[in-house]
């Protein structure tokens, strides 16, 4: 994901990125601004990062593969609930199928 004119690049695997694109796209389509936060990888110091997402700021989703992943609707719901909260969208890992039953 590449954000803003400065080209801030945030790397997620394709499956994660596809789900984030749906949730982020829905918010921005409604002209809603919000924070997006995630935990950084150990190579980046194991901290956390946040971006202020706004419909007026360029956003580019770049995938490494050509296959579109199957969408996990429960994961989308969890991400969307987070995005609609006061704290903004927080990346959460995909729930395991056994925890969805």
């Amino acid at each position: 994901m590449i954000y803003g004119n400065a080209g801030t690049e945030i790397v997620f695997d394709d499956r994660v990125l596809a789900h984030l694109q749906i949730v982020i796209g829905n918010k921005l389509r409604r002209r809603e601004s919000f924070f997006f936060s995630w935990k950084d990888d150990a190579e980046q110091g194991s901290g956390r990062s946040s971006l202020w997402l706004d419909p007026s700021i360029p956003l580019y989703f770049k995938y490494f593969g050509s296959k579109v992943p199957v969408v996990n609707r429960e994961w989308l719901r969890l991400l969307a609930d987070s995005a609609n909260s006061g704290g903004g969208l927080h990346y959460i890992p995909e729930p395991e199928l056994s925890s969805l039953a």
Side-chain angles (χ1 to χ4, degrees):
M1 185 168 82
I2 301 172
Y3 186 68
N5 292 326
T8 301
E9 184 174 1
I10 305 102
V11 178
F12 293 100
D13 73 38
D14 284 2
R15 181 162 181 75
V16 172
L17 192 59
H19 286 77
L20 290 173
Q21 180 179 345
I22 292 168
V23 173
I24 291 169
N26 285 337
K27 294 284 286 179
L28 295 178
R29 186 177 305 112
R30 293 189 299 262
R31 314 283 311 151
E32 297 175 8
S33 300
F34 58 101
F35 276 108
F36 169 44
S37 304
W38 64 94
K39 290 183 181 177
D40 296 322
D41 290 332
E43 304 91 54
Q44 298 168 333
S46 298
R48 58 188 176 91
S49 297
S50 291
L51 282 177
W52 179 251
L53 295 173
D54 183 87
S56 67
I57 300 172
L59 179 61
Y60 174 69
F61 293 90
K62 172 68 176 148
Y63 294 89
F64 293 102
S66 60
K67 294 182 181 178
V68 178
V70 174
V71 173
N72 178 332
R73 295 205 180 275
E74 179 61 18
W75 193 17
L76 282 179
R77 185 190 65 75
L78 293 170
L79 290 167
D81 286 350
S82 172
N84 291 324
S85 73
L89 173 60
H90 286 264
Y91 167 71
I92 54 170
E94 183 171 12
E96 294 186 28
L97 294 177
S98 60
S99 70
L100 300 178

